[in-house]
Amino acid sequence: MKILITGANGFLGHYLVESLLNTNYSIIATGKGNSRLSFSADNFLYTEMDFTNAASVNEIFDTYNPEIVIHAGAMSKPDECELNKDLAYNVNVQGSINLLEAAKLHNCFFSFISTDFIFDGEKGNYREEDLPAPVNFYGQTKLFAEEHVKEYKGDWNIIRTILVYGKPNSGRQNLLTIIKRKLETKEGYNVFDDQIRTPTYVGDLANGIITAITKKATGVFHISGNEELSPYEMGCKTADYLGLNKSLLRKITKSDLKEIAIRPPITGFDISKAKSLLNYQPISFDEGLIKTFSN
Ligand SMILES: NC(=O)c1ccc[n+]([C@@H]2O[C@H](COP(=O)([O-])OP(=O)(O)OC[C@H]3O[C@@H](n4cnc5c(N)ncnc54)[C@H](OP(=O)(O)O)[C@@H]3O)[C@@H](O)[C@H]2O)c1
């Protein structure tokens, strides 16, 4: 089966492609501009596709005839979305519409990667059916895109995830690798202690998505780790694991720092649906640290 992946040069996209190399799927990896993937395999090709360009999307779909689409590409940084709302809408919403329209013509299974930021963060431990209420523009665009996916006339799923970490194989850093660098350079780092997340190891997420598409599981799924941690707690665990000085981590709360995009305070997912329907079993945060920092 042919799978088209968007955002293949990104953090998750890189892991998705790598995890699919040893399967029977044919991978059509797409991204903005040139490939930053160094894979070479019979079942892998890369082609440039800016999904905000509907003509380009249609041309790529006509050329490669994918049967499954994993839409992992996005403008994924909340502050950038808040500062560039038109661009964020175009990339995260219009781009998704372009892909859904092309996917329908080719009768594809459509998998959309979404976020805990569609919730307001007042409740925590969110289930798939909880009511969305985004508090920043990034979350709003992802929710708009979800609404379009739910209207898709073919089969679809939405995989929501939370604060993804792991080895930055694509070059894009994440909270753990940023903390490592800031502590190694003795610069220190501000980390929130009044936000709660269930951080997700990127390899678990990639495997969960691949299981979901292989099972053709439709509907919404929450995929994350299963430990509730604040970024500060994640930072302390990272420092301890690496033997770095955790006193360089500055514990902050919402009142200490005015963020460009407001963050939902307490998210975290109830992942029981993914556990029972996808046999999803995330590794612990301690195991995730080993995977992130081992050679
Ligand atoms: N990372 C997290 O903590 C997290 C948490 C919740 C949900 N998510 C969701 O998970 C998905 C993957 O995130 P990620 O961490 O892998 O983000 P990422 O590293 O920023 O990857 C996103 C990719 O999308 C590409 N892209 C942006 N605009 C594009 C366009 N118009 N056409 C084609 N490609 C485009 C980017 O290209 P360039 O690299 O060239 O800019 C980038 O490679 C996203 O949907 C995100 O919303 C991520």
Side-chain angles (χ1 to χ4, degrees):
M1 282 215 136
K2 291 193 263 181
I3 301 190
L4 183 145
I5 298 172
T6 69
N9 283 323
F11 180 36
L12 171 63
H14 190 287
Y15 273 83
L16 277 171
V17 171
E18 191 170 19
S19 307
L20 285 163
L21 289 174
N22 292 321
T23 66
N24 291 327
Y25 287 111
S26 296
I27 310 157
I28 305 148
T30 71
K32 220 171 38 178
N34 292 334
S35 173
R36 301 197 296 272
L37 302 164
S38 53
F39 306 120
S40 152
D42 289 343
N43 64 339
F44 165 79
L45 67 84
Y46 178 90
T47 183
E48 178 179 353
M49 184 182 78
D50 177 340
F51 50 71
T52 62
N53 180 338
S56 167
V57 169
N58 290 331
E59 191 187 317
I60 297 295
F61 274 67
D62 288 346
T63 305
Y64 296 106
N65 280 304
E67 291 151 290
I68 298 168
V69 176
I70 304 178
H71 181 22
M75 194 164 154
S76 62
K77 295 189 177 150
D79 290 347
E80 281 178 14
C81 292
E82 209 68 34
L83 293 170
N84 304 286
K85 289 188 172 156
D86 288 349
L87 181 63
Y89 186 90
N90 196 31
V91 173
N92 290 350
V93 187
Q94 188 56 49
S96 301
I97 294 171
N98 295 342
L99 289 161
L100 284 161
E101 285 175 354
K104 186 65 205 85
L105 293 176
H106 292 262
N107 202 21
C108 301
F109 186 98
F110 197 94
S111 182
F112 176 63
I113 312 306
S114 192
T115 170
D116 56 331
F117 277 30
I118 62 143
F119 294 114
D120 62 12
E122 296 300 325
K123 168 184 163 293
N125 199 29
Y126 284 99
R127 295 175 64 92
E128 286 79 356
E129 60 276 17
D130 281 329
L131 224 53
V135 295
N136 61 37
F137 197 69
Y138 165 69
Q140 185 65 68
T141 60
K142 297 293 284 189
L143 179 59
F144 282 147
E146 280 197 10
E147 286 162 1
H148 287 283
V149 174
K150 287 178 179 173
E151 282 165 19
Y152 181 62
K153 296 285 181 267
D155 287 335
W156 57 267
N157 65 33
I158 292 170
I159 313 271
R160 298 188 187 130
T161 192
I162 300 190
L163 203 153
V164 187
Y165 69 91
K167 227 180 248 311
N169 290 341
S170 70
R172 160 122 191 239
Q173 303 298 315
N174 53 83
L175 182 65
L176 270 57
T177 60
I178 293 170
I179 284 172
K180 175 176 186 278
R181 199 180 61 228
K182 298 281 186 185
L183 298 188
E184 279 173 347
T185 58
K186 313 260 187 294
E187 210 179 316
Y189 198 51
N190 294 331
V191 240
F192 283 101
D193 197 35
D194 58 350
Q195 292 176 1
I196 296 293
R197 305 287 182 258
T198 45
T200 312
Y201 174 62
V202 61
D204 284 343
L205 174 60
N207 290 337
I209 294 166
I210 293 168
T211 305
I213 54 148
T214 303
K215 285 179 175 273
K216 294 263 160 51
T218 55
V220 182
F221 290 89
H222 282 181
I223 288 198
S224 71
N226 56 16
E227 281 156 88
E228 291 188 333
L229 294 167
S230 74
Y232 177 74
E233 289 168 325
M234 293 171 67
C236 289
K237 281 177 171 282
T238 303
D240 286 344
Y241 175 75
L242 295 169
L244 294 167
N245 180 3
K246 68 179 167 213
S247 69
L248 290 168
L249 292 171
R250 295 181 290 269
K251 191 197 277 199
I252 58 164
T253 59
K254 194 177 165 188
S255 55
D256 297 318
L257 187 76
K258 176 131 184 52
E259 293 175 292
I260 296 168
I262 298 167
R263 266 56 172 185
I266 299 171
T267 66
F269 283 160
D270 176 333
I271 54 171
S272 43
K273 181 177 175 187
K275 281 182 170 173
S276 69
L277 296 184
L278 305 177
N279 299 322
Y280 174 70
Q281 276 303 339
I283 59 173
S284 67
F285 188 73
D286 287 343
E287 289 170 293
L289 282 171
I290 297 170
K291 289 202 179 279
T292 302
F293 295 113
S294 63
N295 290 320

